[in-house]
Amino acid sequence: MKSFSGEKIRNVVLLGHQGAGKTTLAEGLLFLSGTTNRMGSVLDGNTVCDFEPEEIKKTISVSLSIAPFEWKGHKINLMDAPGYADFIGETQAALRVADAAVLVVSAVDGLQVQHEVMWRMARNAGIPRLVFVNKLDRERADFHAVLGSLKTLGKGFAPVDLPLGEEHDFKGIVDVLTEKAYSYVDGKATESDMPPDLASEAANLHTQIVESVAENDDDLIVKYLEGEELTAGEVSEGLHSGVCERNVFPVLVGSASKLVGLDRLADLMVEMGPSPVEVGTSVGTKPGSEEPEERPTSPDAPLSAFVFKTVSDPYVGRVSLFKVLSGVMTPDSTVHNFSTGVDERIAHVFVPRGKDHESVSQITAGDIGAVAKLSDTHSGDTLADKAHPIVYEPLEPVDRVIAKAIAPRTKGDEDKLMTALSKIQEEDPALLVERNPETHQTLLWGTGDTHLDVALERLSRKHGVEVEELELRIPYRETITSKGKGTGRHVKQSGGHGQYAICHLEVEPLPQGGGFEYEDKIFGGAIPNQFIPSVAKGVEKTMAEGAAAGYPVVDVKVTLMDGKYHPVDSSDMAFQVAGSLGFREAMKDAGVALLEPIMDLEVLVPDSHLGDIMGDLNSKRGRIQGTEAVAGGRQLVKAQAPMAEVTRYAIDLRSMTGGQGTFRSTFSHYEQVPAHLAEKIIAEAKSN
Ligand code: GDP
C-alpha cells in the first residue's frame, strides 16, 4: 500500500451492538474498493476482521481489528470494534485513535443496548459520527422505526439517504440532497427514477438539511432567509462543518451483505472527514510532570506515536499497533518509550490488515501502523523522538467485575501458566491475573463471562496451556467472639531421642483489626525462657493455616498460662507443636466464628429496573445504602453485600436488565458470617 499524506487519511471506527453487521460492512468495503477479491462471510468464518478462531467459532468479534482500504485517493483505516459488552476495552482503545465513528444499526433490530453505550462513548471521545442503517434487505426491516428511535440518542440526525423499497423489494437508495434514486446490482449503482411516493419525503428532508446547515453558518443563514437557494457546494460544505462540529449526524441506509449504499458511506467518510490534520494537534504532557505538551499532526514535527493495542502473532511474535500523532515512523530507527523509559529498536514498520501485515517504508502523522518485537512496550504507551519528550494519557482502565479461579490441568504446568497468562494479559489489558495469597488461588479477572471464556480458549489455543476452572474460594477469616482455654501436649518418650512439651493457653477476642497479641504469664520457670517464643511460633503457624476451616485466624490474643518441660527431651520444635495443639483446642473451646469480605457496590440501572435490583440485592444479604437519580433515566444504587453472594453479579445483573445495567464493586471491610451459614461453610471446608 502506498503512503498517504495526513490530509488523505481517515481513521474511522465502526460501532454498534453485536450482530448489527459491522464485520460484514468492513468486508463489503474492502471488496468494493478492490482491496480483496472476494466477499468473505461471518458465517463461513472467512472475513478479514474476524480471524481469531474464537471469533469464527462464536461468530462474534472479540477484538479490535484494522481494515485499511483506498477510496478515491484516500486511505480509510477502518476499525471494526467488537459490539459485545464484554469487549468494551477494545472499543475504548479504538476510540483513542479514531477521528470519526460510524454507528451501525440493524434496520430489523433497531437501536440496542450497546448502541447507546457506544454512542455515549463516542460522544465523550469528542469525535464526529455517522449512522449507517443496515440490513434493509432483511424481512421486517423498518427504516422509519430506526430513524424515530435515534431521537433517544439526542438531536441532529440528518437522513441524507432514504431506502428505495424495503425487505425483499429493497433495491437501493434515494439521495436526499440531489433527489436522485440509485438502484444497485453487485455493489454498482445506476441512476434511476425516484418513485413518486418518495418525492415529497425526500424534498422535506432536503429542506430540513438545508435549514440545519444554514442555521450553523452566519453567512448562509442570511442568504437562506433572503430566499436565495444554497448551492450544492454550500450545502455539502455546511454539512461538513456541522459534522465536524458534532452538531449534525448524517444517517445513511443500505445492506452490507448486498453491497448497497456502501459506496455512499465510503464517499461520505472521505467528504465529511475529518482528516487527522484537520483534527489538528495532539496534547500530552512533559514526562514526569503535568505540564501540557503539544504536537501538530504534521510529518515535519518530531515523532510521537500512541500504542493502542498489542497482539501476539504466531509468526512475528508481539505486534504493537500505533497511531503516529506527529512526525514519521520509519524502519531501521530507534525511538524512545516515554512510558517505560526504554529505547526501542524499530526494525520494520507494517500496515496491519486483519491478521496480515504489509511492510511499508514509513507511517506518517495521522496514519496507523504496526511494529513487531518491541522489548518493553505495552498498550497505552507513548513512543517518541528521544530528543523531544512527550507522553500521552494512557488507556482508560476498564471495570473488571468477574473472576474465575483457574489451575493448570496437569501438574508442573504452573510456570507455563503464569507466562501464558501474562501474554494474554498483554494482548488484552482488560484482563487481570491475581494470585490470592489467602485462598492460594490464581484468579483471572475480566469484564464478563464471555470475556473470560474467550481468554481461556485463547490460553489453550495460542499458548498450549489447558486449565480447569475451580470453585472460587472466598477469603474468609477465622476469629472468636468469646474466651477459651486449651492444653497442648506433645509427649513422645518411647525409644530414641524423646520429645516433651506441655503448655496451657488462653485465647480471647481482640477488636477488629487487632491482629495477634501474645502474652507470657509463666511463673517460676514452668517453661524455660528459651521455649516461650517457640510456643508463640507454633501458634502463629496455626493462625496462618486456620484453626477450624483452613482460613487465617485474626484478631486473637493468646496468653501462655502454664506448662511443663523435661530437661533432656524438651526442644524448640516440641514446644512449637504443643503451642499449635494448645491453640487449636483453645479456639475450639471459644467457638470459631467466620468473617467474610463485604463489598461496596455501585449499580447503575434504568429506572424501570430499580425494583428488581433492590429485591435481588436484598435476597443476596445486601444492604441498600441509597439510590440517586442520574442522567439518562437511570438510577445509581449504592449498597453493601457479602462477596460470597456477588461473585457472579455481572451475570445476574446482565440477565436482570437485558444488558442495560452496569456495576462496580470494591472491597469494603470484613464482617461476621451469620452463625448458621458459618457452620455450613466450616463443615464443607472440613469435608474438603
Ligand atoms: P457484527 O457483530 O456487527 O460484526 O455483525 P456481523 O457482520 O457479524 O453480522 C451479523 C449477521 O448479520 C451475519 O450473519 C451477517 O451475514 C448478517 N448481515 C450483516 N449485514 C447484513 C445485511 O445487510 N443484510 C443481511 N441480510 N444480513 C446481514
Side-chain angles (χ1 to χ4, degrees):
M1 184 168 240
K2 62 177 196 254
S3 181
F4 290 80
S5 68
E7 290 83 2
K8 302 273 181 199
I9 289 169
R10 302 287 182 269
N11 297 306
V12 183
V13 60
L14 300 179
L15 302 176
H17 197 90
Q18 134 85 18
K22 298 176 295 298
T23 303
T24 309
L25 182 58
E27 196 65 24
L29 286 166
L30 289 176
F31 177 68
L32 263 193
S33 63
T35 313
T36 53
N37 52 19
R38 59 152 182 81
M39 170 93 185
S41 111
V42 175
L43 287 181
D44 297 340
N46 57 359
T47 63
V48 170
C49 290
D50 282 357
F51 53 85
E52 298 274 7
E54 293 81 20
E55 299 184 308
I56 294 169
K57 183 170 141 202
K58 293 191 158 59
T59 69
I60 62 169
S61 311
V62 303
S63 62
L64 166 65
S65 56
I66 318 275
F69 65 95
E70 271 186 65
W71 193 263
K72 301 199 170 157
H74 290 69
K75 178 185 180 195
I76 301 181
N77 287 316
L78 201 63
M79 288 172 266
D80 181 16
Y84 206 80
D86 284 21
F87 304 100
I88 206 84
E90 299 286 308
T91 308
Q92 276 175 1
L95 282 168
R96 276 297 295 273
V97 295
D99 299 310
V102 176
L103 190 76
V104 182
V105 185
S106 151
V108 181
D109 305 301
L111 275 192
Q112 293 163 287
V113 178
Q114 280 311 100
H115 284 117
E116 290 172 38
V117 174
M118 291 183 167
W119 188 257
R120 220 178 302 134
M121 287 170 72
R123 178 168 48 210
N124 293 343
I127 55 174
R129 286 151 271 162
L130 317 174
V131 178
F132 185 77
V133 182
N134 188 32
K135 301 195 187 180
L136 257 312
D137 61 306
R138 279 267 307 269
E139 235 170 274
R140 299 197 321 282
D142 187 345
F143 171 68
H144 288 92
V146 175
L147 202 55
S149 67
L150 285 176
K151 290 200 184 83
T152 60
L153 300 180
K155 288 194 296 205
F157 292 96
V160 292
D161 286 350
L162 282 175
L164 197 58
E166 270 184 19
E167 304 181 294
H168 299 304
D169 293 333
F170 180 61
K171 286 188 276 307
I173 55 110
V174 169
D175 179 342
V176 168
L177 292 180
T178 59
E179 296 184 26
K180 284 186 178 138
Y182 297 91
S183 305
Y184 283 76
V185 177
D186 294 335
K188 297 231 163 16
T190 32
E191 205 180 305
S192 60
D193 289 336
M194 177 157 60
D197 58 322
L198 285 178
S200 80
E201 188 181 7
N204 267 340
L205 287 172
H206 188 165
T207 311
Q208 277 176 32
I209 291 173
V210 170
E211 273 173 11
S212 65
V213 159
E215 275 167 19
N216 262 326
D217 187 302
D218 291 345
D219 294 337
L220 293 184
I221 190 78
V222 174
K223 194 172 168 188
Y224 181 72
L225 290 178
E226 283 170 357
E228 258 187 82
E229 287 253 331
L230 304 193
T231 64
E234 281 168 339
V235 174
S236 158
E237 196 49 41
L239 206 52
H240 174 83
S241 47
V243 170
C244 288
E245 283 157 22
R246 297 164 331 262
N247 299 321
V248 180
F249 311 105
V251 180
L252 294 97
V253 301
S255 160
S257 56
K258 299 250 153 64
L259 302 174
V260 177
L262 271 53
D263 52 341
R264 313 232 339 134
L265 177 64
D267 283 350
L268 213 65
M269 288 177 190
V270 165
E271 285 161 25
M272 296 296 143
S275 79
V277 175
E278 229 174 316
V279 174
T281 48
S282 302
V283 183
T285 53
K286 282 199 162 55
S289 82
E290 286 179 13
E291 212 182 310
E293 179 76 12
E294 285 190 1
R295 292 283 179 274
T297 313
S298 156
D300 305 324
L303 169 74
S304 72
F306 179 73
V307 178
F308 61 97
K309 182 159 173 67
T310 310
V311 287
S312 84
D313 184 283
Y315 304 108
V316 284
R318 191 163 68 173
V319 176
S320 309
L321 302 183
F322 59 83
K323 180 182 185 187
V324 175
L325 298 176
S326 61
V328 180
M329 181 82 82
T330 49
D332 264 331
S333 61
T334 301
V335 299
H336 191 70
N337 183 328
F338 279 99
S339 310
T340 57
V342 298
D343 284 336
E344 292 282 17
R345 176 91 199 120
I346 308 290
H348 303 283
V349 290
F350 306 94
V351 167
R353 177 175 300 113
K355 64 173 180 292
D356 300 322
H357 299 108
E358 183 189 327
S359 198
V360 290
S361 61
Q362 64 168 44
I363 302 283
T364 190
D367 205 353
I368 286 172
V371 55
K373 295 198 172 80
L374 297 185
S375 64
D376 190 14
T377 291
H378 316 275
S379 302
D381 287 359
T382 301
L383 300 173
D385 180 345
K386 199 171 187 175
H388 297 90
I390 187 166
V391 268
Y392 295 107
E393 184 85 46
L395 292 168
E396 206 181 306
V398 296
D399 290 330
R400 305 182 187 95
V401 290
I402 187 165
K404 281 190 174 178
I406 53 172
R409 225 178 260 283
T410 51
K411 274 213 159 55
D413 247 4
E414 193 79 25
D415 287 348
K416 213 169 138 195
L417 174 65
M418 288 324 262
T419 322
L421 282 175
S422 81
K423 280 192 182 149
I424 62 164
Q425 204 180 337
E426 169 107 60
E427 268 197 282
D428 179 357
L431 292 168
L432 180 80
V433 181
E434 178 198 336
R435 179 84 195 148
N436 189 299
E438 283 187 24
T439 62
H440 305 292
Q441 285 189 317
T442 301
L443 303 183
L444 186 63
W445 284 91
T447 57
D449 221 20
T450 309
H451 184 210
L452 294 178
D453 285 346
V454 166
L456 294 184
E457 279 178 35
R458 198 175 276 178
L459 201 62
S460 134
R461 173 179 63 83
K462 274 194 164 170
H463 305 285
V465 184
E466 298 288 337
V467 296
E468 60 178 335
E469 233 187 286
L470 309 174
E471 192 162 337
L472 195 77
R473 290 189 74 189
I474 303 297
Y476 293 110
R477 290 176 182 172
E478 299 177 14
T479 192
I480 45 174
T481 52
S482 52
K483 292 186 177 188
K485 285 182 184 175
T487 297
R489 188 186 154 80
H490 183 59
V491 177
K492 282 195 178 138
Q493 291 180 301
S494 50
H497 191 51
Q499 297 176 46
Y500 190 101
I502 296 174
C503 63
H504 301 287
L505 299 176
E506 275 185 23
V507 293
E508 62 189 291
L510 289 176
Q512 235 194 61
F516 168 55
E517 273 178 31
Y518 181 62
E519 195 184 352
D520 158 32
K521 281 198 179 165
I522 291 292
F523 187 72
I527 297 177
N529 273 344
Q530 82 255 36
F531 296 136
I532 287 169
S534 310
V535 175
K537 224 165 148 185
V539 169
E540 279 186 277
K541 242 188 197 160
T542 309
M543 283 184 73
E545 288 163 3
Y551 300 106
V553 179
V554 294
D555 309 331
V556 178
K557 176 174 174 180
V558 178
T559 310
L560 175 58
M561 306 297 292
D562 199 359
K564 273 191 188 157
Y565 80 105
H566 183 276
V568 179
D569 292 346
S570 281
S571 65
D572 169 47
M573 210 48 228
F575 271 102
Q576 281 193 38
V577 175
S580 169
L581 293 172
F583 178 67
R584 270 181 212 280
E585 197 177 292
M587 288 290 289
K588 199 169 170 192
D589 183 44
V592 172
L594 282 188
L595 297 176
E596 64 180 340
I598 303 292
M599 309 302 285
D600 278 324
L601 295 183
E602 285 192 357
V603 191
L604 195 59
V605 290
D607 286 337
S608 53
H609 288 89
L610 187 61
D612 294 348
I613 296 302
M614 309 249 275
D616 176 68
L617 281 171
N618 278 325
S619 77
K620 291 182 155 70
R621 297 193 283 133
R623 283 187 299 261
I624 310 285
Q625 295 177 313
T627 60
E628 191 188 311
V630 294
R634 292 178 303 161
Q635 295 277 338
L636 180 67
V637 182
K638 290 192 177 168
Q640 287 192 329
M643 181 197 261
E645 304 281 346
V646 293
T647 53
R648 298 177 67 73
Y649 194 59
I651 299 167
D652 298 348
L653 184 66
R654 190 167 291 176
S655 78
M656 277 187 292
T657 62
Q660 296 188 65
T662 57
F663 82 106
R664 265 182 198 179
S665 76
T666 45
F667 168 73
S668 169
H669 63 279
Y670 270 87
E671 248 173 53
Q672 198 177 329
V673 180
H676 66 284
L677 288 177
E679 267 170 39
K680 240 168 68 187
I681 297 164
I682 292 173
E684 258 173 40
K686 277 185 177 154
S687 72
N688 286 338

